[in-house]
Amino acid sequence: MEVSSLPISASLRAKLISGGYTSISSLFSVSHSDVARDLKISENQALEILRVASQRRGSERSNGTSSIVNGAQSAWEMLNEEKLLGRITTSCSELDDILGGGISCKEVTEIGGVPGIGKTQLGIQLAVNVQIPMDYGGLQGKAVYIDTEGSFMVERALQIAEACLEDMREYHGFLKRDLQACQVNMQPKDFLENIFYFRVCSYTEQIAVVNYLEKFISEHKDVKVVIIDSITFHFRQDFDDMALRTRLLGGMALKLMKLAKKFTLAVILLNQVTTKYTEGQYQLTLALGDSWSHACTNRVILYWNGIERYAYIDKSPSVRSAAAAYSVTGRGIRSSVSNCKRVKMM
């Protein structure tokens, strides 16, 4: 259960969330002194919070709602489920190929790279492509876009939506299928109406929105992708307490993984880069440290190879490490103009 359900003052609930205590269970492994120190409140207030949390847990148990064991699932069932999972095309066939067909649902995918490499462009492309109708190989879903940097461009989303419709018409012409319904029912503005946009300006707002997502998606069950652009921005500044940052990020990662599984959707986390001193020299690496790399199912690194953009599968349980070239064009993400062969990243 969430701490937002505790019958305490709104200011104390806000301090709990800001301090990384987003679930009631997170309060049972700490002392009242720890809570008082982390939240900068009196020990009496901390004791009262723990007492209320304990009462709430007891109430849940007495009502028989605390069970978390729902029975085992066989590996065969899991395999068949995975075969049926939808994927979101990136609009670059070579990138789709190394991803196993596109961005997978029920998984958290981190995409990182240097400024200007096309992270936001790819995020907007996925927010549009998730809406492609099932008749055309899409998920016919909607998107949640959480913008922490102010980099989302609605004009760019409109351009990509227009190009997506043109691609669908071209696909229709190739297969000689009836696209009349699509032509009537889908317009560029429909794509924009199906992107739910959240602008967050602090790490506390970011945590609050992530906590709110489960309720929001329960009310909008056709959401099939959640994009955070970027996961990093508010956690790279104003943090002297690295333990607190780690706890906040860990709690947020767990919630996002739970959302992906529960609602069979894709979670896309766009990340920035930083420098790391390794073997006597500084190297570029994705931000938030080594421990954060375990928070995602898949990790894709975008990088420059000369004048071309490449995407490299750095981590995935289901596809091998490989790289593919891609381009950022006026129509969105597309295959590179050169021969997009797979390469090994040095």
Side-chain angles (χ1 to χ4, degrees):
M1 288 189 64
E2 308 295 330
V3 296
S4 57
S5 66
L6 290 177
I8 56 178
S9 69
S11 61
L12 286 179
R13 286 198 297 268
K15 287 182 178 181
L16 280 169
I17 293 171
S18 297
Y21 299 102
T22 56
S23 64
I24 292 178
S25 60
S26 65
L27 293 168
F28 299 142
S29 59
V30 293
S31 68
H32 70 280
S33 299
D34 293 331
V35 175
R37 183 189 66 248
D38 292 343
L39 274 58
K40 295 181 174 58
I41 59 177
S42 69
E43 293 203 356
N44 285 339
Q45 287 177 305
L47 282 168
E48 178 64 15
I49 289 173
L50 294 181
R51 183 188 66 79
V52 172
S54 179
Q55 287 181 343
R56 179 55 59 93
R57 179 172 65 167
S59 173
E60 290 297 314
R61 284 180 171 174
S62 65
N63 292 332
T65 59
S66 63
S67 175
I68 61 172
V69 180
N70 296 316
Q73 183 182 28
S74 73
W76 178 250
E77 290 172 331
M78 293 171 63
L79 178 63
N80 288 322
E81 276 188 11
E82 288 180 6
K83 289 180 179 179
L84 297 174
L85 287 179
R87 291 180 179 267
I88 309 169
T89 178
T90 63
S91 291
C92 171
S93 58
E94 291 76 20
L95 181 50
D96 283 348
D97 285 345
I98 66 171
L99 287 167
I103 301 292
S104 179
C105 291
K106 295 188 80 170
E107 293 180 354
V108 177
T109 300
E110 180 184 28
I111 301 174
V114 297
I117 197 67
K119 300 184 296 294
T120 296
Q121 301 288 326
L122 183 53
I124 295 173
Q125 186 75 61
L126 294 169
V128 168
N129 287 358
V130 74
Q131 303 177 49
I132 295 174
M134 293 181 182
D135 288 343
Y136 296 89
L139 299 184
Q140 201 167 326
K142 296 181 180 179
V144 168
Y145 202 104
I146 302 172
D147 185 3
T148 68
E149 301 184 25
S151 55
F152 181 85
M153 300 162 287
V154 68
E155 296 85 0
R156 183 59 171 150
L158 181 61
Q159 288 178 345
I160 292 174
E162 291 170 343
C164 183
L165 279 175
E166 292 175 9
D167 289 344
M168 288 165 53
R169 295 188 183 105
E170 182 179 340
Y171 182 74
H172 155 65
F174 178 72
L175 295 180
K176 305 297 183 184
R177 295 178 61 174
D178 181 15
L179 191 61
Q180 188 62 36
C182 261
Q183 290 175 330
V184 172
N185 294 329
M186 296 198 72
Q187 298 296 329
K189 70 177 184 66
D190 297 324
F191 284 90
L192 300 186
E193 288 177 349
N194 290 333
I195 299 175
F196 301 111
Y197 176 80
F198 293 86
R199 177 72 171 103
V200 298
C201 300
S202 67
Y203 80 87
T204 52
E205 286 185 14
Q206 185 171 332
I207 292 170
V209 170
V210 170
N211 288 339
Y212 172 63
L213 282 179
E214 184 169 4
K215 180 178 185 297
F216 182 85
I217 297 173
S218 296
E219 297 169 353
H220 301 82
K221 294 187 180 297
D222 44 4
V223 168
K224 290 300 176 185
V225 66
V226 173
I227 301 160
I228 304 183
D229 180 13
S230 68
I231 191 71
T232 324
F233 185 71
H234 295 305
F235 288 91
R236 296 187 72 181
Q237 48 193 341
D238 302 328
F239 263 98
D240 297 325
D241 188 345
M242 291 295 104
L244 171 61
R245 190 182 84 157
T246 299
R247 187 165 67 244
L248 291 172
L249 286 169
M252 189 162 53
L254 287 173
K255 287 182 179 297
L256 293 170
M257 287 187 280
K258 178 184 175 183
L259 282 175
K261 296 288 186 183
K262 180 176 181 178
F263 296 104
T264 314
L265 54 81
V267 174
I268 310 296
L269 307 178
L270 304 184
N271 198 354
Q272 302 171 348
V273 296
T274 186
T275 54
K276 181 180 180 180
Y277 191 74
T278 305
E279 297 178 356
Q281 61 181 345
Y282 286 98
Q283 296 179 346
L284 285 178
T285 185
L286 296 192
L288 300 182
D290 294 335
S291 60
W292 174 255
S293 65
H294 303 295
C296 57
T297 315
N298 309 291
R299 173 175 265 197
V300 180
I301 298 176
L302 309 181
Y303 67 99
W304 290 100
N305 185 2
I307 62 172
E308 285 195 304
R309 293 175 169 92
Y310 274 78
Y312 174 72
I313 309 299
D314 182 60
K315 169 192 172 185
S316 174
S318 55
V319 297
R320 68 181 182 87
S321 295
Y326 69 96
S327 294
V328 178
T329 73
R331 296 169 58 84
I333 303 296
R334 292 294 184 271
S335 297
S336 174
V337 293
S338 66
N339 182 20
C340 304
K341 61 182 180 180
R342 295 183 183 181
V343 298
K344 296 284 186 179
M345 191 172 83
M346 300 303 291

